Amino acid sequence: MTILAIDNLKGGYSEVDILNGIDLSLSEGEILTVAGTNGAGKSTLAKAIVGLLPRVSGAVRIGGRDILGLPAEDRIGLGIGYVPQVANIFPSLSILENLQVVQGVKDHKARIAELFALFPLLGERRRTRAGSLSGGERQQLAFARALMPRPRLMILDEPTAALSPARVADVFSLIARLPSLGVTVLMVEQRARQALAISDRGCILDGGKVALEGAATTLLADERAAELYLGRGRTEG
Amino acid sequence: MDAYLAAIAIIALIYMLLSLGLTLQYGLTGLINFGHVGFFAIGAYTSALLSLQGLPLALTIPAAAVTAGLAAWPIGLISLRLRDDYFAIVTLGFSETVRLVITSEKWLTNGVQGIPGIPRLFETISVGIGAQLAVMGLILAVTLAAIYAMRRIVASPFGRVIEAIRDNEEALQALGKDPAGFKIQVLILGSALAGIAGAFYAHYITYIVPDQFIPLVTFYVWMAIIIGGVGRVSGAIVGTGLLMLFLEGSRFLRDIVPGVSEVEMASLRIGVVGLLLVLFTIYRPQGLMGDFTKR
């Protein structure tokens, strides 16, 4: 069943369009990687879906409903979770307070307990200020917070950006677990090969349009994709 | 207690109310308000004018809070979607506009001549240390109530959201919150507190003129919270106390520093405060109370 459908999505931050007519769909339980070169529009696409892009046109449908006219705050109620690229936690609040900021969650305390069970390290350090966490721990917290309202779809904007190579694999293994929690994933990622390795499908943006799309394994084996976008046999760390 | 010391304490308490308002706005929420004195002025003139019409101070002081808070509402609506630096410029422009309106609208405010004969607090107590102590007690009680309210706010869900706005507004939006609504509430609350401070000031000084409401007042409050530690209620208290001590204490430096005129000493004082600010920004950006008071 299609959970997210994007039709002819255009838009940008000022007069110039960064997205130039994107068509994309995502089925429930899938992990989709959106890759592409710098400036291709990957993060802009993520922002457009969650309602943080000032100027957009086209259609973004969640479960068949067009949400493009809704402000960001109303889209969350429809089951979208968003993990921004780097500054994705509230550093002066404790780990617990970062989760408590998310309101309107049914059985709030029980949900926090569930997430601490899922992320034991966060539970152990619940009173620690989030600003003192390492990059990998911050990313765990950002995921936990986005999971608080039990989203059906999570938009991840470069979840491994600014992480040490040792932590990258941890974050990808965390993302790979999300479908088992009932969460569909659209992940924008620079480390395209590693991201595709845990994805069902992938799409590559170029100049604000979808240049290539298909099964992750097909894209990984695609000569043109490897040549132009993924780096031929490059080992990413 | 010496009447002079009581006077310093009263002015310090009034500034503490201003600092608490700015701590709520900037320290906790990240709103750069360079027009705090505008709301202080609105509170002072509102309470002064109403009390001269015969209304009791028990009504005019809350009215000052309401008027200052209401003045903040449209400013917030118009400008809170602006970037931080533009918002700061708008608020600075607002406070100067307030001062110009007060200066120009003679029919209401008596223009540059100001408003003399504003009723004192506790008029039934004759002028002297007794009246000073009663005023100090009242403002201290209000300041303590404001501190208590601030601490409750910090520990509440509302407090978590406004701190989250300061930390990362976009991430908060991604959680389904509209930061603008919270920011407007904070702007109103902080401005209402400035309005109360203005009312106390008017009824303590009993004579107000537009020149008492220049941007320097706002920047004294900024200095206080930066020295004490932004985002800390205790920082607002300690910073204001120290700033007032320095500003008043340095008046006596002229007696021991030869060849410095009163005007030169006033400039020197502001220069030293500026230097202190620079040093704090470089060496102790978290202020004196800094991390010590973090929950």
Side-chain angles (χ1 to χ4, degrees):
Chain A
M1 190 180 131
T2 303
I3 188 168
L4 172 72
I6 298 171
D7 295 325
N8 195 27
L9 187 65
K10 293 180 180 175
Y13 299 94
S14 55
E15 294 82 33
V16 183
D17 276 345
I18 294 171
L19 307 178
N20 289 306
I22 290 184
D23 298 299
L24 204 61
S25 71
L26 188 54
S27 298
E28 215 164 317
E30 267 190 329
I31 298 179
L32 172 80
T33 289
V34 178
T37 52
N38 280 335
K42 305 185 298 294
S43 291
T44 309
L45 172 64
K47 285 197 163 94
I49 296 169
V50 295
L52 296 174
L53 192 66
R55 195 175 53 76
V56 277
S57 66
V60 174
R61 294 191 182 83
I62 296 285
R65 179 182 171 187
D66 189 0
I67 61 165
L68 211 56
L70 296 178
E73 48 270 20
D74 291 348
R75 298 188 192 196
I76 304 306
L78 297 171
I80 303 178
Y82 173 53
V83 180
Q85 197 176 112
V86 179
N88 50 21
I89 57 158
F90 305 119
S92 66
L93 302 183
S94 70
I95 287 174
L96 180 63
E97 287 170 331
N98 262 271
L99 300 182
Q100 286 173 332
V101 163
V102 187
Q103 285 162 18
V105 178
K106 213 173 156 185
D107 303 324
H108 205 268
K109 281 186 178 169
R111 182 61 178 156
I112 289 176
E114 275 173 31
L115 289 168
F116 282 157
L118 197 62
F119 302 97
L121 187 138
L122 298 181
E124 288 161 20
R125 303 180 61 187
R126 64 187 69 194
R127 304 279 171 204
T128 306
R129 276 181 69 182
S132 67
L133 299 178
S134 69
E137 291 164 347
R138 283 176 184 228
Q139 207 58 302
Q140 283 194 35
L141 178 57
F143 274 69
R145 208 189 50 218
L147 284 168
M148 266 296 284
R150 301 181 178 87
R152 291 186 297 151
L153 169 66
M154 268 178 62
I155 311 293
L156 312 177
D157 189 358
E158 302 209 16
T160 68
L163 286 187
S164 65
R167 298 279 76 83
V168 170
D170 295 344
V171 169
F172 279 130
S173 87
L174 175 61
I175 295 165
R177 285 162 66 195
L178 291 175
S180 67
L181 302 170
V183 181
T184 305
V185 178
L186 185 149
M187 162 174 45
V188 166
E189 187 50 64
Q190 283 279 11
R191 292 179 163 95
R193 284 188 171 276
Q194 281 170 286
L196 285 168
I198 61 152
S199 299
D200 300 290
R201 287 194 304 125
C203 93
I204 295 169
L205 298 188
D206 192 1
K209 283 184 173 177
V210 176
L212 285 171
E213 189 185 357
T217 46
T218 313
L219 281 180
L220 281 169
D222 188 295
E223 285 289 314
R224 189 173 151 234
E227 187 70 42
L228 295 176
Y229 306 108
L230 307 179
R232 185 180 289 278
R234 196 177 68 201
T235 307
E236 287 163 302
Chain B
M1 183 188 243
D2 185 81
Y4 175 64
L5 287 180
I8 294 173
I10 288 168
I11 296 296
L13 286 169
I14 289 170
Y15 268 85
M16 274 178 200
L17 284 173
L18 285 170
S19 298
L20 287 170
L22 196 62
T23 293
L24 183 64
Q25 292 172 341
Y26 176 68
L28 296 176
T29 318
L31 297 176
I32 303 176
N33 179 1
F34 282 167
H36 212 37
V37 69
F39 303 99
F40 182 60
I42 289 171
Y45 273 84
T46 301
S47 195
L49 290 169
L50 290 177
S51 62
L52 286 171
Q53 296 300 311
L55 281 171
L57 301 194
L59 283 181
T60 64
I61 294 172
V66 171
T67 318
L70 283 178
W73 185 45
I75 300 299
L77 280 180
I78 293 164
S79 52
L80 277 175
R81 291 185 194 275
L82 297 175
R83 240 175 46 197
D84 291 349
D85 38 5
Y86 288 111
F87 177 70
I89 293 165
V90 167
T91 52
L92 181 60
F94 169 76
S95 72
E96 280 298 90
T97 306
V98 168
R99 195 166 63 86
L100 289 174
V101 169
I102 290 170
T103 307
S104 311
E105 300 300 317
K106 289 182 185 162
W107 63 273
L108 181 67
T109 62
N110 207 25
V112 290
Q113 306 296 320
I115 304 177
I118 300 167
R120 282 194 298 116
L121 287 157
F122 301 108
E123 275 196 308
T124 50
I125 304 173
S126 61
V127 178
I129 189 69
Q132 295 263 71
L133 289 176
V135 171
M136 196 173 82
L138 174 67
I139 304 179
L140 179 63
V142 173
T143 307
L144 289 174
I147 291 169
Y148 176 74
M150 290 273 290
R151 291 208 178 278
R152 291 295 300 265
I153 286 174
V154 168
S156 72
F158 180 81
R160 281 195 291 272
V161 172
I162 61 174
E163 286 193 81
I165 290 174
R166 177 196 59 196
D167 280 4
N168 191 341
E169 198 171 329
E170 192 171 280
L172 190 75
Q173 271 183 299
L175 293 176
K177 303 267 185 219
D178 177 16
F182 287 95
K183 283 156 74 174
I184 289 171
Q185 289 177 56
V186 165
L187 193 65
I188 289 174
L189 283 174
S191 301
L193 216 45
I196 294 173
F200 282 140
Y201 181 76
H203 295 294
Y204 177 63
I205 301 288
T206 71
Y207 175 53
I208 52 173
V209 290
D211 279 356
Q212 289 162 332
F213 303 100
I214 54 175
L216 185 63
V217 174
T218 298
F219 294 110
Y220 275 150
V221 182
W222 273 94
M223 289 171 192
I225 67 166
I226 290 170
I227 290 170
V230 290
R232 314 278 184 273
V233 175
S234 53
I237 308 303
V238 170
T240 309
L242 284 177
L243 184 73
M244 287 297 133
L245 267 181
F246 174 76
L247 290 177
E248 287 301 322
S250 59
R251 287 181 199 281
F252 301 105
L253 278 178
R254 204 166 63 89
D255 299 339
I256 49 174
V257 181
V260 179
S261 73
E262 186 123 358
V263 176
E264 285 169 338
M265 183 50 81
S267 302
L268 202 62
R269 217 165 37 224
I270 294 174
V272 171
V273 174
L275 180 67
L276 276 176
L277 266 187
V278 172
L279 294 175
F280 263 90
T281 310
I282 295 170
Y283 296 108
R284 195 165 171 85
Q286 73 273 39
L288 283 173
M289 301 309 286
D291 290 336
F292 300 120
T293 56
K294 187 67 196 171
R295 301 181 303 282

